């Protein structure tokens, strides 16, 4: 019996020593610094945003289709009924949720790159505005962060101005994704939706349009600044019809976030991209960024490159219900000159050289 008790005492002493040794090792291990924690939070915030924009819509659609063939089919039926009843809401100003815009995750999203908003002129809340956002880039990070999240202080810089960002109308046909977009203040880039915001929503509305669209994303790559703008005049016509002033904005650094495989004009891959663009409104780009675990690996996350969005001087536009082609061309030319002035005055401040030029196609 004494032998058994002694053996047990030795085992307990050994176990206690092992636990103490493990605790000492754990306490001696370096804990993550505040900088490390901030970096992880920033990475996670960008990860959730990219996954939401790339996967939320398709995954939700596939899930609802799957539920149709299960005992949970009423969920799909009820949501379909909801979409039918709520069909016109995206084109009537959407359904903005201020709490989502104030979500703390957007501050980490902003700091990942970081993104900065620069004001050059005041915007009066007694007018409505169409903000031209350039360039498109791959995922329009600058436009989203500045005009939707509010993390860069748009409302503080432009008091009384309510920003909206337009995107492809097809995105608002995808289940759950449409609710996500509307909650942030996104609207379809259609005449009806833009017209509602400029005529039925009072004054102080700033509708941001990424004018280059999918066609511009195909030429997006670091070191090249090419805008598809020469024949994009619909936004000018709408500005004239509703008397909304035109405001140019440029996001320096937007094209540096990803690397894209650019196919030559006339190649079969380029023709497939252009065909997709005409049929579906978007172009499937072959691009890559950094990986989740390391900046040196390849993945789908954007590289951490600074983005500075400069909002320029408004071009005053009269209200003309049926503007002539000559009038549209005149104000389009005025807008292009204002955009070029904005670019040339700020390019050396935000990472470009004096010799860099803005190509407009």
């Amino acid at each position: 019996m004494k032998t058994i008790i002694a053996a047990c005492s030795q085992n307990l002493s050994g176990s206690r020593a092992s636990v103490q040794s493990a605790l000492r090792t754990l306490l001696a291990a370096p804990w993550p610094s505040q900088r490390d924690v901030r970096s992880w939070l920033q990475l996670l915030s960008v990860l959730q945003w990219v996954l939401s924009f790339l996967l939320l819509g398709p995954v939700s659609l596939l899930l609802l289709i799957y539920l149709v063939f299960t005992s949970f089919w009423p969920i799909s039926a009820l949501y379909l009924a909801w979409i039918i009843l709520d069909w016109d809401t995206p084109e009537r100003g959407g359904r903005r949720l201020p709490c989502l815009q104030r979500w703390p995750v957007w501050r980490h999203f902003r700091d990942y790159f970081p993104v900065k908003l620069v004001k050059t002129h005041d915007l009066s809340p007694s007018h409505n505005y169409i903000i031209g956002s350039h360039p498109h880039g791959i995922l329009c990070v600058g436009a989203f962060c500045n005009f939707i999240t509010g993390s860069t202080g748009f409302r503080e810089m432009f008091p009384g101005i309510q920003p909206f960002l337009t995107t492809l109308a097809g995105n608002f046909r995808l289940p759950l994704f449409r609710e996500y977009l509307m909650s942030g203040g996104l609207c379809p880039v259609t005449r009806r939706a833009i017209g509602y915001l400029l005529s039925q929503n009072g004054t102080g509305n700033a509708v941001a349009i990424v004018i280059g669209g999918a066609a511009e994303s195909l030429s997006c790559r670091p070191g090249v600044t090419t805008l598809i703008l020469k024949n994009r005049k619909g936004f000018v016509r709408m500005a004239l019809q509703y008397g909304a002033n035109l405001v140019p904005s440029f996001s320096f650094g937007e094209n540096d976030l990803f690397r894209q495989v650019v196919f030559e004009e006339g190649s079969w891959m380029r023709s497939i991209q252009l065909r997709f663009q005409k049929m579906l409104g978007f172009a499937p780009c072959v691009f890559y960024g950094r990986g989740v675990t390391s900046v040196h690996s390849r993945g789908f996350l954007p590289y951490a490159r600074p983005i500075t969005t400069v909002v320029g001087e408004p071009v005053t536009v009269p209200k003309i219900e049926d503007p002539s082609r000559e009038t549209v061309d005149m104000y389009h030319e005025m807008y292009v000159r204002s955009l070029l002035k904005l670019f040339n005055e700020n390019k050396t401040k935000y990472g470009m050289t004096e010799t860099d030029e803005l190509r407009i196609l």
Side-chain angles (χ1 to χ4, degrees):
M1 179 63 70
K2 291 181 179 180
T3 304
I4 296 174
I5 293 174
C8 290
S9 299
Q10 290 177 358
N11 289 336
L12 288 173
S13 299
S15 300
R16 191 180 301 111
S18 299
V19 171
Q20 291 174 347
S21 175
L23 287 174
R24 282 195 298 269
T25 303
L26 181 62
L27 293 173
W31 286 80
S33 64
Q34 290 185 352
R35 182 178 179 181
D36 292 334
V37 173
R38 283 197 300 268
S39 297
W40 295 341
L41 290 174
Q42 291 167 9
L43 186 65
L44 289 173
S45 68
V46 174
L47 177 62
Q48 66 82 25
W49 180 78
V50 172
L51 292 178
S52 297
F53 267 80
L54 296 181
L55 298 178
L56 181 59
V59 170
S60 299
L61 179 60
L62 292 174
L63 177 61
L64 287 178
I65 293 175
Y66 168 76
L67 292 178
V68 169
F69 302 98
T70 69
S71 58
F72 296 100
W73 64 266
I75 296 177
S76 298
L78 289 172
Y79 191 79
L80 178 60
W82 163 251
I83 287 183
I84 294 173
L85 292 172
D86 198 51
W87 191 262
D88 291 333
T89 299
E91 295 189 324
R92 292 181 175 273
R95 192 166 38 246
R96 187 191 297 265
L97 294 178
C99 61
L100 183 62
Q101 292 182 305
R102 295 192 297 267
W103 202 16
V105 73
W106 300 129
R107 294 198 297 271
H108 299 298
F109 179 88
R110 172 200 64 196
D111 294 338
Y112 171 84
F113 299 94
V115 181
K116 180 183 178 184
L117 181 66
V118 175
K119 169 186 173 180
T120 61
H121 291 79
D122 291 329
L123 299 181
S124 172
S126 62
H127 293 89
N128 285 325
Y129 302 89
I130 290 180
I131 300 178
S133 179
H134 311 275
H136 183 284
I138 297 294
L139 294 179
C140 304
V141 173
F144 176 84
C145 190
N146 287 297
F147 303 130
I148 293 300
T149 69
S151 61
T152 55
F154 183 94
R155 287 177 181 80
E156 290 74 22
M157 291 185 189
F158 303 99
I161 303 297
Q162 179 79 290
F164 296 86
L165 179 62
T166 56
T167 185
L168 291 175
N171 289 330
F172 294 89
R173 306 307 177 219
L174 294 172
L176 297 185
F177 190 47
R178 69 189 295 273
E179 322 298 341
Y180 178 76
L181 295 177
M182 284 193 292
S183 66
L186 283 99
C187 297
V189 61
T190 62
R191 291 183 179 273
R192 184 182 176 191
I194 297 172
Y196 179 90
L197 294 172
L198 297 178
S199 63
Q200 304 295 320
N201 205 43
T203 60
N205 301 292
V207 183
I209 304 175
V210 187
I211 297 169
E216 195 170 279
S217 66
L218 293 177
S219 59
C220 164
R221 59 185 185 271
V224 177
T225 310
T226 302
L227 303 184
I228 306 298
L229 179 59
K230 187 176 293 185
N231 296 317
R232 300 287 175 99
K233 301 179 180 180
F235 73 103
V236 178
R237 180 174 293 277
M238 291 205 70
L240 286 164
Q241 289 173 339
Y242 295 102
N245 293 339
L246 291 167
V247 182
S249 72
F250 196 92
S251 293
F252 294 91
E254 182 74 45
N255 285 351
D256 299 330
L257 303 183
F258 293 96
R259 302 291 182 267
Q260 181 178 187
V261 180
V262 179
F263 301 100
E264 297 295 331
E265 293 290 343
S267 63
W268 65 274
M269 278 299 297
R270 187 71 167 192
S271 63
I272 290 176
Q273 288 178 316
L274 295 175
R275 191 168 300 175
F276 261 89
Q277 177 196 331
K278 291 180 180 179
M279 290 190 304
L280 302 177
F282 71 93
C285 302
V286 182
F287 67 91
Y288 64 89
R290 59 155 291 179
V292 176
T293 58
S294 171
V295 295
H296 303 293
S297 61
R298 291 188 179 184
F300 55 87
L301 293 181
Y303 292 107
R305 302 287 187 270
I307 303 172
T308 304
T309 300
V310 185
V311 179
E313 182 179 4
V315 177
T316 303
V317 175
K319 184 176 182 180
I320 306 175
E321 291 186 4
D322 188 20
S324 64
R325 178 179 297 180
E326 291 75 17
T327 303
V328 172
D329 289 344
M330 181 181 70
Y331 280 94
H332 182 271
E333 185 178 347
M334 291 172 62
Y335 175 83
V336 172
R337 286 202 303 267
S338 181
L339 176 63
L340 287 171
K341 179 184 176 184
L342 175 72
F343 177 82
N344 290 323
E345 288 180 350
N346 292 277
K347 60 184 180 181
T348 56
K349 299 177 185 176
Y350 304 114
M352 292 187 171
T353 65
E354 192 64 46
T355 57
D356 285 328
E357 295 183 355
L358 186 63
R359 296 178 56 205
I360 296 180
L361 302 178

